Amino acid sequence: MIDTYGDPGTPDRRGPARYLWWLVRSQPGRSVAGAMLASVWMVLLAATPFLMARAVDEGLAAGDYPALVGWSAALFGAGVLNAWLSIMRHRTMTRVRMDANFRTVKVVVDHSVRLGSRLGPQTGAGEVTTIGVGDVQTIATAMTAIGPGVGSLVAYAVVAALLLSVSPQLAGVILLGVPVIVVLIGPLMRRIQGREAAYRETQGLLTARIGDLAGGLRVLNGLGGKSLFADAFRADSRRLRAQGYRVGRVTSWMQALGIGLPTLFLAVVSWLAARSAARGEITAGELVAVYGYVAVLVIPMAFLVECAHQISRALVAADRVVRFLRLAPAADAGTADAPAEPSVLHDPESGVSVLPGRLTALATDRPADAAAILDRLARHTESAATWGGVRLDEIPLAQVRARILLADHEADLFAGPFREVVDGEDRPDAEFERAVRAAAADDIVQALHDGAESPLTAQARNLSGGQRQRVRLVRALLADPEILLAAEPTSALDAHTEAAVADRVRATRSGRTTLLTSTSPLVLAQADTVIHVRDGKATATGPHTHLLHTDPDYRTLVSRTTEDDPE
């Protein structure tokens, strides 16, 4: 199977069918082996009635006991061989399915990393979650068509040929089976694809809503909106359940046909064969063989219907994967080198300039303006922002990401031990402890049962809002970027903790370029430079105390913040 750290290859994004075919082509040896093992296994199933007929006609009916023993031994040998083939077929197809599963997971995760900051604006978390939870497994299951699907067609052809040697009439009836299946299953496949697509879309939206509910339950309770949100969630759940029932109805018809059609053919062919035997047109052994052939056909025909069902579902799932893979990452046509020395970071749209080696604070009337400025300065959105006089979009994105870090106060936190969540590079203990202290997160580590090795849940929901904010700050400080852009790093902290964080971050980042957004006087007082932004434009620049005396609007903004201290 694909190596955990191996290259999954370049997926075919031209359509869902082409993507499924790419998964098959990515493991050609195993795919061919699975098809061959399944074909031989199903053909030997069909050979069992043939050997039984020989034992009846040439051994039992003729009274030739050595022939009976010989044919019986051949029948036993075929059974043993088929049991081994069945085991090998199952093992091979399991590897085929798992390879397709892991390969799809890797291409989706790799593309998520490439999208980076553009992932959120282009698709929701529910969409990615639905792909990972449901669509990947659906695609992997469809790989069954490689083995049993191909084997079913081969066995069907072999049985038809064997029946042709017994009776052309019986062979004709069997050969009509595939066209009948196509006529009956075709409309159902189209219908299930449409209903499955609608079901998956609703499932994605509901998954995203579950995430929103889990993350904002405490806020909803405080605002009295819990019941309203719960009612909307229940309505969406009922709609999803209704769509699931519609998918289930079509699925049940397909599964019923998978069992019912072979049974119908068995009855028709057995009746025709019995009449032929009564007229002396076929022998008793041939009658047994015909019954066995048709009974064996139940397996490949059921497989064919099931494969058609799985492929129709996989096309819907693959379409979602392909649409995700088509999302375009940020354009990176930059050829200019980043400044070799610490340089000014400038946003022409707002007039904000961040001087190198200094702690700068951005005080804005509207948090959205601050977020937009940080996004432009970090090249998370297209803009004319410059770094050392060079446009950021002219510098290769890898260089920008390596030296400029945007630390969002709502950035995702993965589940895992505290230390792994904040430090992915296993830095020395001294660096880790220094970052923890700078973020005033000592008490968090001490309160956890196993200290820094204690597990955190996804998004650290087992911590309070202020604790989560400090965990994110620890992670940003451990990264130690040349330029740190931190959005509201202390907005959820009490005054005492906020003062400690502001003082320690200033000391830790001494000589490094740091830009914080805040309207708290405790943070602003620690900044070398404060930039006051109104309506998206920088209106005043200077130390905190200077702006308090010279800028009435700034004084009003800071005073309002003082009155509305965070909880």
Side-chain angles (χ1 to χ4, degrees):
M1 286 182 289
I2 182 173
D3 183 77
T4 305
Y5 301 100
D7 181 10
T10 303
D12 194 331
R13 300 180 176 89
R14 290 177 292 177
R18 289 181 179 273
Y19 179 82
L20 295 178
W21 180 237
W22 171 76
L23 290 176
V24 176
R25 289 187 290 107
S26 297
Q27 42 180 336
R30 198 178 294 117
S31 298
V32 171
M36 291 182 63
L37 287 170
S39 298
V40 176
W41 172 64
M42 287 197 178
V43 168
L44 281 180
L45 287 178
T48 300
F50 174 81
L51 295 174
M52 188 178 297
R54 300 284 74 75
V56 171
D57 285 344
E58 298 179 14
L60 191 61
D64 187 345
Y65 291 101
L68 178 62
V69 171
W71 285 113
S72 297
L75 190 60
F76 176 79
V80 172
L81 176 60
N82 227 18
W84 178 81
L85 287 171
S86 179
I87 294 172
M88 297 307 297
R89 172 195 63 83
H90 187 270
R91 287 183 177 179
T92 303
M93 293 313 304
T94 297
R95 290 189 174 95
V96 169
R97 288 194 295 271
M98 295 304 293
D99 185 281
N101 188 311
F102 293 146
R103 198 174 297 273
T104 300
V105 168
K106 282 184 68 65
V107 297
V108 169
V109 171
D110 288 352
H111 194 62
S112 298
V113 173
R114 282 192 294 272
L115 288 170
S117 60
R118 291 180 62 87
L119 175 60
Q122 295 191 73
T123 187
E127 177 72 10
V128 181
T129 302
T130 302
I131 289 174
V133 173
D135 294 329
V136 168
Q137 186 60 41
T138 300
I139 289 171
T141 303
M143 294 297 106
T144 303
I146 300 172
V150 174
S152 297
L153 292 173
V154 173
Y156 196 87
V158 170
V159 168
L162 290 172
L163 280 174
L164 188 62
S165 65
V166 175
S167 168
Q169 181 189 35
L170 298 178
V173 173
I174 290 298
L175 289 174
L176 284 174
V178 170
V180 170
I181 290 177
V182 171
V183 170
L184 294 178
I185 297 298
L188 291 177
M189 286 183 62
R190 289 191 296 272
R191 180 174 296 182
I192 200 172
Q193 286 184 38
R195 292 185 175 178
E196 185 84 18
Y199 177 81
R200 289 294 188 185
E201 291 293 337
T202 305
Q203 187 180 42
L205 293 174
L206 196 60
T207 302
R209 184 160 290 181
I210 291 173
D212 294 341
L213 178 61
L217 188 58
R218 188 174 301 174
V219 177
L220 286 170
N221 258 333
L223 297 175
K226 179 181 176 181
S227 59
L228 181 64
F229 199 96
D231 290 341
F233 182 80
R234 278 192 289 268
D236 289 341
S237 297
R238 286 193 292 268
R239 185 161 56 253
L240 180 65
R241 181 180 60 190
Q243 290 176 339
Y245 285 151
R246 286 194 288 271
V247 172
R249 280 197 292 270
V250 181
T251 301
S252 65
W253 272 105
M254 293 190 70
Q255 292 175 342
L257 289 173
I259 300 299
L261 284 177
T263 304
L264 177 62
F265 284 129
L266 176 62
V268 173
V269 175
S270 298
W271 180 75
L272 293 174
R275 287 178 59 85
S276 297
R279 292 194 297 266
E281 297 172 358
I282 61 175
T283 65
E286 289 175 331
L287 176 61
V288 172
V290 168
Y291 183 85
Y293 293 151
V294 181
V296 165
L297 274 182
V298 171
I299 297 175
M301 291 185 71
F303 265 124
L304 283 175
V305 175
E306 179 63 20
C307 285
H309 176 218
Q310 296 297 345
I311 289 174
S312 64
R313 298 185 66 224
L315 288 171
V316 175
D319 182 61
R320 294 171 67 88
V321 171
V322 167
R323 280 191 280 124
F324 177 77
L325 295 177
R326 287 174 178 169
L327 297 179
D332 188 18
T335 57
D337 287 333
E341 302 294 332
S343 303
V344 175
L345 197 59
H346 178 63
D347 174 35
E349 187 171 334
S350 63
V352 170
S353 291
V354 183
L355 300 181
R358 297 172 66 85
L359 175 61
T360 304
L362 200 65
T364 63
D365 301 72
R366 298 180 302 199
D369 291 338
I373 293 171
L374 291 188
D375 282 342
R376 293 194 293 269
L377 292 174
R379 197 183 156 186
H380 282 197
T381 57
E382 298 299 326
S383 72
T386 62
W387 184 15
V390 181
R391 282 179 59 116
L392 277 174
D393 54 13
E394 294 178 357
I395 301 172
L397 187 60
Q399 294 186 32
V400 175
R401 293 288 181 263
R403 297 171 61 183
I404 301 176
L405 173 64
L406 172 56
D408 190 344
H409 69 293
E410 294 183 349
D412 291 326
L413 293 171
F414 297 104
F418 179 95
R419 180 153 186 166
E420 289 185 11
V421 170
V422 299
D423 182 14
E425 298 183 14
D426 195 21
R427 293 174 176 81
D429 290 343
E431 290 186 27
F432 172 75
E433 292 168 3
R434 185 163 55 250
V436 169
R437 186 179 185 283
D442 319 61
D443 61 322
I444 301 176
V445 177
Q446 293 168 4
L448 294 173
H449 184 267
D450 294 320
E453 301 305 319
S454 300
L456 300 182
T457 61
Q459 305 300 347
R461 292 194 177 98
N462 53 334
L463 302 179
S464 69
Q467 289 174 325
R468 287 195 295 270
Q469 196 167 49
R470 284 180 282 163
V471 169
R472 293 184 177 100
L473 184 57
V474 172
R475 183 170 62 182
L477 294 174
L478 267 174
D480 194 27
E482 177 183 326
I483 301 176
L484 173 61
L485 311 177
E488 299 287 350
T490 63
S491 59
L493 307 183
D494 59 72
H496 174 75
T497 306
E498 186 176 36
V501 169
D503 179 63
R504 294 175 187 178
V505 167
R506 175 183 176 83
T508 301
R509 293 286 300 173
S510 178
R512 311 279 278 174
T513 306
T514 307
L515 175 65
L516 309 178
T517 66
S518 178
T519 54
S520 167
L522 296 173
V523 175
L524 299 172
Q526 294 291 339
D528 297 312
T529 303
V530 177
I531 303 174
H532 182 207
V533 175
R534 292 193 64 196
D535 299 325
K537 303 293 182 181
T539 58
T541 301
H544 170 61
T545 53
H546 174 73
L547 293 182
L548 283 177
H549 291 94
T550 61
D551 188 344
D553 293 328
Y554 177 79
R555 185 167 56 251
T556 301
L557 174 64
V558 174
S559 300
R560 187 173 67 235
T561 302
T562 305
E563 295 170 0
D564 299 330
D565 287 332
E567 296 179 0

